[in-house]
Amino acid sequence: MNNSEVYVGLDIGTTSIKALVCESVKGQLKVIGVGVEQSAGLNRGVIVDIDKTAQAISAAVAQAEEKSNVEIKSVVVGLPANYLQMQRVHGMITIATRGQSREIVNQDVIDVAREALTQSIPPEREIIDLIPTEFTVDGFSGIKDPRGMVGVRLEMKATLYTGPKTIIHNTKKAVQQAGYDIKDFVITPIATDFNLLNDGEQDFGTVVVDLGGGQTTTSIIHDHQLKYTYVDPEGGKYITKDISTVMNTSLRNAEQLKLNHGYAMASLADKEVQVDVDVVGQDDPVQYSEQYLSEVIEARVRQIFSRIQSKLQAIHAPELPGGVVLIGGVAALPGIKELAEQYFTGNIKVNVPEQMGIRHPRYAVSLALGMYENQLSDIDRLIKQTVQRVDTIKSPHEEKAQSTNINITSQQWSEEPVKQRTQRQTQQQSVAEKPQPKKKKQNTFSNRFKNIFNNLFD
Ligand SMILES: Nc1ncnc2c1ncn2[C@@H]1O[C@H](COP(=O)(O)OP(=O)(O)OP(=O)(O)O)[C@@H](O)[C@H]1O
Ligand SMILES: [Mg+2]
């Protein structure tokens, strides 16, 4: 099979690594193999042990190779949105030679993108992506592809995405050490928001909540641009820890209990259904009701949703016409939609990929990574050349990652003791924390709405 038609989405998650092999036939993407391996070496979405992560990546990709019968050389790697910054940039070049206008060619697009990149980036940050918004030729704006047009002056407006060097370096290194080239780095909310949402949802505005194992990433897409991200430092792993602590059982048992008997809303669980739980220090199993188990789960999910709700209110994000789309493993919990409805406005849905073998919301990111790469336009690919040169990505001799001193303000986090938060008493408190009343419907197309999002950029 010709590898150029095959895209491998690599989602390096805190709890599992997903490698999805997609084959592009006449622009249509078909999933032909998937590999999943338990993660190692990650904490809250970020690689903290390169060797362990590299081994897990190798295992996941090897599985995907075997299932798809495709030799995998390069992968499209998702980067977490942790400490992501976005800023609007502008580039302008003169294309006239000896005062005469001429046709715009590929090199002009590269040159204007390079102009837009002449920003001073703090030493601890690195450019991840540059995504064009529009081109202007001799004052005529709103152009998506200026090539072939005639002009004297070419301008480009774009959004520049930067991330901490450490995160990018560690990801690069782990993938290379696993033995694969990086075809592209894609910020995961960019991949998911652009590929799992329809045109209207991307245009009018939608919130996407990725409920992962180690963290929960909320993003807003509006006007076909990623406008906001918030990374909450809790996810499914913390639900499992809570169950383990409250029921005095191993993490492995707690995980199975969650997967087989858990609900996000305890009121949906049947209190008559009892489950045998192996308890540490006791010979005989203890019986707990599914409802009791679900109360533990609900308390943690409520805390996550409540923080996201406050963040959305803090940026005055009104009800978005596209509503809220839930993805990530935790979105598979029965009752998650019903619980989310108490915190967020608009239509709420869980995105589950339709393809056989990946019908679970935890595959949404890896699928979106493959889809993202498949739908890139020639212009996108030209501009990417200015940001990520293949030789840089392939080089085995990477410069040592510089120490980061990043302003992490809104994302800074100190972990509260799990026990403190998971005692029965705390659960009741948390359950009692009523979600704030839903906002009244507003005119979603008001100028105020537009301005809010315009101001979200640095
Ligand atoms: N049916 C289910 N019910 C409840 N939780 C589930 C279910 N299926 C998966 N999960 C949970 O989802 C989490 C994994 O989700 P996912 O694969 O999206 O996370 P990740 O990508 O590894 O982590 P992150 O995105 O935080 O780095 C685990 O905590 C797992 O227990
Ligand atoms: Mg994830």
Side-chain angles (χ1 to χ4, degrees):
M1 194 178 296
N2 181 355
N3 214 16
S4 67
E5 294 178 333
V6 170
Y7 299 103
V8 182
L10 182 67
D11 175 17
I12 307 173
T14 314
T15 51
S16 65
I17 311 233
K18 283 81 79 184
L20 206 76
V21 189
C22 307
E23 189 189 3
S24 172
V25 182
K26 292 182 188 150
Q28 291 291 310
L29 216 60
K30 202 172 96 194
V31 177
I32 56 170
V34 60
V36 189
E37 182 67 21
Q38 196 178 342
S39 273
L42 275 104
N43 184 31
R44 295 193 153 123
V46 175
I47 297 172
V48 291
D49 184 324
I50 293 172
D51 294 345
K52 283 187 182 163
T53 310
Q55 282 168 18
I57 292 173
S58 291
V61 181
Q63 277 180 40
E65 272 186 324
E66 203 185 307
K67 300 242 177 79
S68 61
N69 208 17
V70 170
E71 191 196 349
I72 297 169
K73 295 193 180 82
S74 64
V75 290
V76 181
V77 184
L79 274 180
N82 304 48
Y83 315 125
L84 179 73
Q85 278 181 9
M86 28 194 160
Q87 65 189 101
R88 285 188 172 142
V89 292
H90 177 251
M92 190 177 82
I93 57 164
T94 304
I95 45 177
T97 32
R98 285 182 227 100
Q100 294 293 305
S101 59
R102 62 163 174 80
E103 264 194 25
I104 296 165
V105 294
N106 283 352
Q107 190 57 44
D108 298 316
V109 174
I110 292 172
D111 290 346
V112 78
R114 289 213 170 110
E115 272 299 305
L117 285 174
T118 51
Q119 309 280 322
S120 62
I121 309 288
E124 74 278 5
R125 299 192 73 79
E126 192 170 315
I127 296 170
I128 305 173
D129 218 338
L130 178 70
I131 299 187
T133 321
E134 63 165 352
F135 292 89
T136 302
V137 178
D138 293 350
F140 294 100
S141 59
I143 297 166
K144 290 285 167 214
D145 184 353
R147 292 172 307 166
M149 294 182 181
V150 171
V152 171
R153 200 175 69 238
L154 175 64
E155 293 169 70
M156 184 187 83
K157 279 187 189 159
T159 309
L160 177 67
Y161 298 89
T162 63
K165 264 192 177 157
T166 336
I167 293 182
I168 301 162
H169 171 89
N170 291 358
T171 310
K172 221 183 254 187
K173 196 103 181 171
V175 177
Q176 285 169 346
Q177 205 166 299
Y180 302 99
D181 292 336
I182 297 165
K183 196 179 187 77
D184 197 2
F185 269 132
V186 185
I187 300 153
T188 49
I190 290 188
T192 53
D193 297 8
F194 286 171
N195 292 283
L196 304 178
L197 306 183
N198 65 34
D199 198 56
E201 288 168 335
Q202 290 182 40
D203 193 6
F204 296 146
T206 304
V207 178
V208 176
V209 182
D210 177 359
L211 291 144
Q215 58 184 17
T216 301
T217 306
T218 301
S219 53
I220 294 179
I221 188 164
H222 171 249
D223 208 6
H224 293 273
Q225 288 175 66
L226 177 69
K227 294 282 174 81
Y228 174 79
T229 59
Y230 161 61
V231 181
D232 188 89
E234 288 184 0
K237 260 176 90 167
Y238 302 88
I239 300 174
T240 305
K241 272 191 190 166
D242 289 349
I243 297 169
S244 163
T245 310
V246 172
M247 298 191 167
N248 206 13
T249 191
S250 67
L251 283 172
R252 183 189 286 257
N253 286 342
E255 178 74 10
Q256 287 312 310
L257 284 168
K258 179 180 76 172
L259 299 183
N260 299 328
H261 302 281
Y263 289 79
M265 265 182 105
S267 57
L268 298 175
D270 189 342
K271 61 171 175 281
E272 303 305 325
V273 179
Q274 301 286 318
V275 193
D276 283 344
V277 180
D278 288 329
V279 167
V280 178
Q282 288 194 33
D283 293 337
D284 297 325
V286 174
Q287 283 208 329
Y288 285 106
S289 70
E290 281 193 347
Q291 197 170 59
Y292 181 74
L293 166 75
S294 302
E295 278 171 20
V296 179
I297 297 172
E298 179 176 331
R300 179 66 70 169
V301 183
R302 275 190 186 276
Q303 290 190 351
I304 297 171
F305 279 167
S306 163
R307 286 192 296 267
I308 298 171
Q309 182 192 47
S310 309
K311 290 286 172 188
L312 294 180
Q313 283 173 353
I315 58 159
H316 308 291
E319 178 182 341
L320 294 176
V324 179
V325 176
L326 305 174
I327 57 169
V330 178
L333 265 174
I336 196 87
K337 177 177 174 316
E338 290 78 1
L339 191 68
E341 277 166 356
Q342 296 188 8
Y343 292 85
F344 311 115
T345 43
N347 185 30
I348 293 170
K349 57 188 177 192
V350 176
N351 182 295
V352 182
E354 286 170 0
Q355 290 85 342
M356 276 252 291
I358 57 161
R359 288 186 187 139
H360 192 289
R362 71 172 168 158
Y363 292 114
V365 170
S366 47
L367 176 63
L369 289 168
M371 290 168 82
Y372 182 83
E373 204 57 29
N374 183 44
Q375 56 80 50
L376 283 177
S377 68
D378 288 353
I379 286 289
D380 293 328
R381 287 181 207 277
L382 272 176
I383 290 170
K384 270 179 185 288
Q385 281 180 29
T386 62
V387 178
Q388 299 168 1
R389 278 176 299 279
V390 174
D391 56 351
T392 321
I393 294 176
K394 278 184 176 169
S395 163
H397 306 293
E398 294 297 326
E399 62 179 34
K400 220 170 180 284
Q402 296 188 17
S403 64
T404 54
N405 178 22
I406 308 151
N407 178 6
I408 54 175
T409 48
S410 68
Q411 295 180 349
Q412 204 158 24
W413 182 258
S414 63
E415 190 180 357
E416 286 177 49
V418 168
K419 207 172 169 200
Q420 190 184 314
R421 300 215 260 164
T422 52
Q423 294 300 333
R424 192 93 182 96
Q425 200 185 357
T426 316
Q427 289 168 27
Q428 283 162 356
Q429 252 178 25
S430 169
V431 173
E433 269 172 25
K434 289 270 178 290
Q436 303 198 13
K438 289 181 182 181
K439 281 189 163 187
K440 276 189 177 171
K441 286 203 173 209
Q442 326 194 351
N443 174 4
T444 48
F445 299 99
S446 66
N447 285 338
R448 189 177 146 257
F449 174 93
K450 294 243 177 213
N451 287 339
I452 287 162
F453 285 119
N454 289 341
N455 292 337
L456 287 175
F457 288 98
D458 289 332

